Amino acid sequence: MDLWVKTINRSTDRVDITIENGKTFVADAAIVTVPVGVLKSKTISFEPRLPEWKEQAISDVGVGLENKIVMRFERVFWPDVEFLGVVAETSYGCSYFLNLHKSMGHAVLVYMPAGHLAKKIEKMSNEAATTFAFNQLKNIFPDASYPIQYLVSRWGSDVNSLGSYSYDKVGNPHDMYDKLRIPVDNLFFAGDATSVDYPGLVHGAYSSGLMAAHDCKMQVLKNYGELDRFSKCVLSDDTIASVPLSISRFDEKIG
């Protein structure tokens, strides 16, 4: 059974992380990498409360929705292009297919609905969502064959994401991403919503994670002066690595 992080309690030299069953993990510092949609939902309680400027930055950032319906076919029946667009009478019906055959060699198309259309599709079953995507494809290729396999994402209703990506709302302050990234005491933040250069993108999340790990390491070194203060993590019977604690919404699996 997966147990979620419920409370993060910080002080100047300690972080206590409590999960649903009441078990608490203790660390010198921690990195929070949960999606901004989860932060906005306040399902994780910070004690004491995050500073007002941090809470405001979390409130200001937008969370967009774009789902994926991955369809694998017996054969390729579409042209060797990267994208196949779907034009509709309203923006709600506009979408596109990503051609994975061009990059990966498999007979796979990924339908990419966004915004209100993505929300509507999330209310469908996997079979109904796939049929909807396939009907869009048949508008382009009337002789298309039904997929032999499919996979449907639901980022908007997934309690561990509550959205697909962050974006800058019109009129928001330019320093919003900086404020999302700035540490609070010994609590560090990473994710696509903390990247100034690549917000909303995977490489933004990755690069922000490297930055947060470095800042966390420097904080611990500053407090203790020795790298040995990092918790020991056993990788194998004869290998030991020194790592900081990095937390996500799932801290561990117990079952």
Side-chain angles (χ1 to χ4, degrees), residues 6-251:
K6 298 300 292 183
T7 305
I8 300 175
N9 192 313
R10 74 181 191 281
S11 59
T12 56
D13 59 353
R14 171 175 169 151
V15 177
D16 293 70
I17 303 151
T18 303
I19 59 177
E20 281 187 310
N21 67 352
K23 185 175 182 179
T24 297
F25 299 85
V26 180
D28 297 319
I31 303 173
V32 179
T33 61
V34 295
V36 70
V38 175
L39 291 178
K40 291 169 77 69
S41 72
K42 298 183 179 180
T43 52
I44 296 177
S45 175
F46 291 88
E47 298 179 3
R49 283 182 57 177
L50 295 172
E52 184 178 349
W53 57 266
K54 176 70 80 172
E55 290 187 338
Q56 187 61 52
I58 294 172
S59 177
D60 286 343
V61 68
V63 179
L65 179 60
E66 184 173 35
N67 276 310
K68 298 179 180 180
I69 301 176
V70 184
M71 298 181 291
R72 178 170 171 258
F73 299 88
E74 287 185 334
R75 62 180 181 84
V76 175
F77 51 80
W78 55 88
D80 188 29
V81 295
E82 293 185 2
F83 300 98
L84 298 165
V86 177
V87 178
E89 294 181 355
T90 68
S91 60
Y92 296 168
C94 293
S95 54
Y96 66 94
F97 292 88
L98 175 65
N99 177 18
L100 292 192
H101 181 263
K102 187 173 181 65
S103 59
M104 302 181 63
H106 299 291
V108 174
L109 291 175
V110 183
Y111 182 60
M112 307 280 281
H116 291 284
L117 179 58
K119 292 180 181 179
K120 178 181 177 181
I121 289 177
E122 285 203 3
K123 297 178 182 179
M124 302 178 182
S125 66
N126 288 347
E127 294 77 11
T130 302
T131 298
F132 180 89
F134 177 67
N135 287 336
Q136 300 301 307
L137 186 62
K138 281 185 73 70
N139 289 333
I140 307 174
F141 304 104
D143 296 329
S145 57
Y146 199 79
I148 57 177
Q149 288 180 302
Y150 54 82
L151 183 66
V152 181
S153 73
R154 303 177 186 277
W155 297 117
S157 54
D158 187 336
V159 295
N160 299 300
S161 58
L162 298 178
S164 304
Y165 59 90
S166 63
Y167 69 89
D168 192 355
K169 295 180 181 178
V170 176
N172 277 349
H174 295 296
D175 61 352
M176 176 183 62
Y177 295 112
D178 283 322
K179 288 182 177 178
L180 284 166
R181 179 185 56 81
I182 294 173
V184 177
D185 297 325
N186 52 348
L187 202 59
F188 299 82
F189 294 81
D192 70 282
T194 68
S195 174
V196 176
D197 296 325
Y198 307 106
L201 301 174
V202 172
H203 41 296
Y206 178 78
S207 61
S208 72
L210 294 178
M211 183 182 298
H214 176 268
D215 292 345
C216 180
K217 174 182 176 180
M218 292 300 103
Q219 176 77 6
V220 173
L221 287 174
K222 178 181 178 181
N223 290 344
Y224 299 107
E226 297 179 1
L227 192 60
D228 291 341
R229 292 287 184 171
F230 281 92
S231 301
K232 298 297 182 181
C233 176
V234 179
L235 301 181
S236 64
D237 293 339
D238 56 358
T239 304
I240 295 180
S242 298
V243 296
L245 172 66
S246 177
I247 60 173
S248 64
R249 189 142 193 252
F250 288 99
D251 203 283

